[in-house]
Amino acid sequence: MVEERLSRIQACLSNVQDPELPFLSITELGMIRGCEIDQNGTAVILLTPTYSGCPATDAIQDDISEAVSEFETNFRVKLVHSPAWTTDWIDNDTREKMKRHGIAPPDGNSADKAFLLGKERKVSCPRCRSANTKMISAFGSTACKAHFQCESCLEPFDHFKCI
Amino acid sequence: MENHLHAGLLRLGDDVLILAQRLGEWCGHGPALEEDIALSNVALDLLGQARAFLTLAGEREGNGRDEDALAYFRTDREFTNALLVELPNGDFGDTIMRQCLFDQFALLRYEALSAQSIDKEVSAIAAKAVKEVRYHAEHSSQWVIRLGDGTSESHHRIQKSLNRLWSYTGELFADDAVTESLAADGLMPLLANLQKPWQEAMNQILLEATLVMPENSGTQTGGRSGLHTEHLSYLLAEMQVLPRTYPGAQW
Ligand SMILES: [Zn+2]
């Protein structure tokens, strides 16, 4: 019974899109940190923001409430800060999906500080796969992305920052 | 003890709230599109950190004040940010130098909080902020190096920015009854302990930027006890006008 209730919510959450990357779900981005029933019988959905100031977080909470309220009345969304969200939670399938949509996925591991700070950054172009790319700005169209340009095909593209 | 934690959290929140508001003034006025976006992105991260710290400050106070009550319904004398972050933006060099001085401090403070604070909420917010500030610190230090080691005009001007801002940096590391009690309880680090690593980090950056670290010539203080420059009042007037005119406004 409880299992069924939770898995129904989980399935629903995997259909809630990220407003800034609408081809990805919040589950694929690793923003759902769990779902549990508290002592009052309320289903608690644990959500973690990607960036502290990500303006999409409020919209995502609204989207979750709207989707889940179609079949569940007793639930709430709880924001959790710990452990801090990391791009390490984005799996390989999701990274491939990003590439297909013209976004260079986070490469490497967030624990590697040299990589994080661009000392060894090798971001390949999501269009032509060239490794000959340069960073235009560490801050792109949203908090989670940096702005790059391919030196081979000259296309500008977004890179999902490793964090 | 609980009161000191509330006071300490307000300082953390106010520093980044006020700096976020200042950086937001660049939106639409950046020297290049990429910089306009970068400064706005940094502002947004800082605003997010401010929301988390102020929300927690309200919870730890226990009087029912939320982030909005603390951001919009306190007067200038009740804000406890460091003076550095309320100073006017000046030109791009002034802004980026202020940012560099603050980022290097913020990084050390957040690292210490995330590693040491026995308050799990505090350390969680700090751990998240560390990741964000690493990007900010990289951005501002690269600009300081680029401007310092750039043309003679850019070198001259960024050195002047540094000289002007320097006397505001001492306040970042000034301990008082609040920080000493928080340190004794294992909640927050002693700020004086961060000064040496900060100076080393700044030394590195300034060396590469061919800039000269100014002589210590007095420290401007007062922010932590609510004694601010006149600039804060104007900033707050703009930041607070809407919720004060239309309390509870939504859109
Ligand atoms: Zn290419």
Side-chain angles (χ1 to χ4, degrees), chain A residues 72-100:
Chain A
E72 172 76 57
T73 47
N74 190 12
F75 72 96
R76 67 191 163 93
V77 182
K78 189 181 171 200
L79 269 190
V80 288
H81 288 106
S82 181
W85 182 81
T86 163
T87 40
D88 297 348
W89 293 340
I90 301 176
D91 66 22
N92 282 332
D93 287 351
T94 308
R95 289 174 193 229
E96 286 304 316
K97 231 177 181 177
M98 284 184 183
K99 274 192 215 166
R100 287 202 293 279

Side-chain angles (χ1 to χ4, degrees), chain A residues 49-50 52-53 85-86 140 143 162, chain B residues 37 41 44 48 124 128 131-132 135:
Chain A
T50 52
S52 306
W85 182 81
T86 163
C162 204
Chain B
I37 294 170
N41 261 300
L44 207 52
K128 185 152 194 64
K131 293 169 164 233
E132 296 162 356
Y135 275 106

Side-chain angles (χ1 to χ4, degrees), chain B residues 202-219:
Chain B
M202 283 311 303
N203 239 332
Q204 280 274 328
I205 295 165
L206 297 180
L207 197 70
E208 208 177 324
T210 69
L211 295 171
V212 183
M213 192 179 271
E215 300 283 318
N216 276 327
S217 55
T219 293

Side-chain angles (χ1 to χ4, degrees), chain A residues 63-75:
Chain A
D63 291 347
I64 291 175
S65 297
E66 199 184 316
V68 176
S69 64
E70 290 201 1
F71 58 90
E72 172 76 57
T73 47
N74 190 12
F75 72 96

Side-chain angles (χ1 to χ4, degrees), chain A residues 125 128 150 153:
Chain A
C125 172
C128 76
C150 176
C153 74

Side-chain angles (χ1 to χ4, degrees), chain A residues 4-18 24-28 32 35 45 60-72 75 77:
Chain A
E4 209 174 295
R5 191 172 161 209
L6 288 178
S7 66
R8 193 154 182 216
I9 293 173
Q10 292 279 13
C12 170
L13 293 174
S14 65
N15 285 317
V16 175
Q17 296 163 327
D18 180 273
L24 293 179
S25 75
I26 54 173
T27 310
E28 286 173 306
I32 297 296
C35 184
I45 297 160
I60 291 170
Q61 290 187 66
D62 291 346
D63 291 347
I64 291 175
S65 297
E66 199 184 316
V68 176
S69 64
E70 290 201 1
F71 58 90
E72 172 76 57
F75 72 96
V77 182

Side-chain angles (χ1 to χ4, degrees), chain B residues 113-129:
Chain B
L113 281 170
S114 71
Q116 297 163 17
S117 181
I118 59 162
D119 186 315
K120 287 218 165 64
E121 286 287 318
V122 175
S123 66
I125 298 168
K128 185 152 194 64

